[in-house]
Amino acid sequence: MSIEARPADTEVRHVACAVTELPEGSMKALAVDGRRIIVVAVGDGEYTALADYCPHQRGPLSGGSVERMWVSDRVGDHERSPDTWVVICPFHNFETDVRTGCPVLPLGRSRAATYRTAVEDGQVVVYRRRGQRGRDS
């Protein structure tokens, strides 16, 4: 992973991996400025980044799985959401929205920090402001 400071602002650029290394529905764990972060590929060239801890009991999300969230309008009828991706904690199957860092089930104000991502020259890049714990989505 390479790190590059941008003099025009306070963001630090972290190259996570090549786009080809992260197929849809997969994640990659990395350390950014001493913080554990996961980068998730949600399809159509979109990537998200969030803290590698579960808002429920701080389990390592990188040990879990990524999938489209199951949704239903009535009992006995369910399907995968076309838009919502979640990471499932390996501790208790707790689901966290990969775009917002918010638990699928309300849990007070607890959420996983999220970080800005971009695709640049075929690389998935995570941006973190100096002193940033995360960003509100």
Side-chain angles (χ1 to χ4, degrees), residues 100-115:
T100 66
C102 293
V104 171
L105 296 175
L107 191 64
R109 295 174 41 128
S110 183
R111 63 185 282 278
T114 57
Y115 301 89

Side-chain angles (χ1 to χ4, degrees), residues 21 47 76 85 87 134:
E21 295 175 40
Y47 299 87
W85 286 83
V87 61

